[in-house]
Amino acid sequence: MRRLVTKFAAALAVWGSVTTVALPTAAAAQSVDRPVVVELYTSQGCSSCPPADAFLGELAKREDVIPLALHVDYWDYIGWKDKFASPQHTKRQKAYASAAGRRSIYTPQMIVQGQEHVVGNHPKNVNALIERHGAAEVTVDLQLSITGNQLQVTASKVARAKTPVLVQLVRYMPRKSVQIRSGENAGRTITYANIVTDWQLLDEWNMRRPLDLSTKVSGEDPLVVIVQERGPGRILAAARLR
């Protein structure tokens, strides 16, 4: 496990305006009622990360999990620049740590449903958390549909939650292999799954009345909509189109 000790202020884990993204003409949301979101914070320059990257690839085969790989940039200095790294991913990981009262961040780290922080190469622990959150009370009923390049998002409150909540749009690349030529993983070819390429705020929803919004999208990469308490905090609902 690679750890970075840092001082930072709490920051919202949403950035910028919505990017135009695209999908096939007709699509439907996952049939799973409550998929669990698992965020992996990883780096191509981290020698401890490949087992966690492989585990995320296994999670990507499941319908009850939405696994997302967020590549961070703070290990780029040790000899290999991560091709998928983004300072926004580092910012989000720092915001999670700050919200939890922690002073350090590390790779590989998994965050389950916006709440549980666990070492990413401990599958037994992660699977137990997925099972627990998958059986939890439904807080928000979230539905997605798409026609042409228009994404429709509807949601209604089912149980009590802190408000307002953030409605976020995530895009990811399903799979990509990378030949790493220097750094701690030099000479290895590693296949990565569900690589996050964009994470945008769609709306802040006060939950006093049902949510009904639409946005234009483009491209063929899968998309995920996540409803999450501020902090970043608890993920109340997630749905995916792919």
Side-chain angles (χ1 to χ4, degrees), residues 176-197:
K176 186 72 173 180
S177 295
V178 177
Q179 293 181 337
I180 300 176
R181 297 186 175 87
S182 60
E184 293 187 350
N185 290 315
R188 302 185 65 172
T189 297
I190 300 175
T191 299
Y192 297 96
N194 291 23
I195 306 148
V196 171
T197 56

Side-chain angles (χ1 to χ4, degrees), residues 22-28 144-152 217 223 241:
L23 284 171
T25 302
L144 309 181
S145 63
I146 191 164
T147 303
N149 66 349
Q150 200 72 21
L151 172 67
Q152 193 73 27
V217 294
L223 67 78
L241 295 174

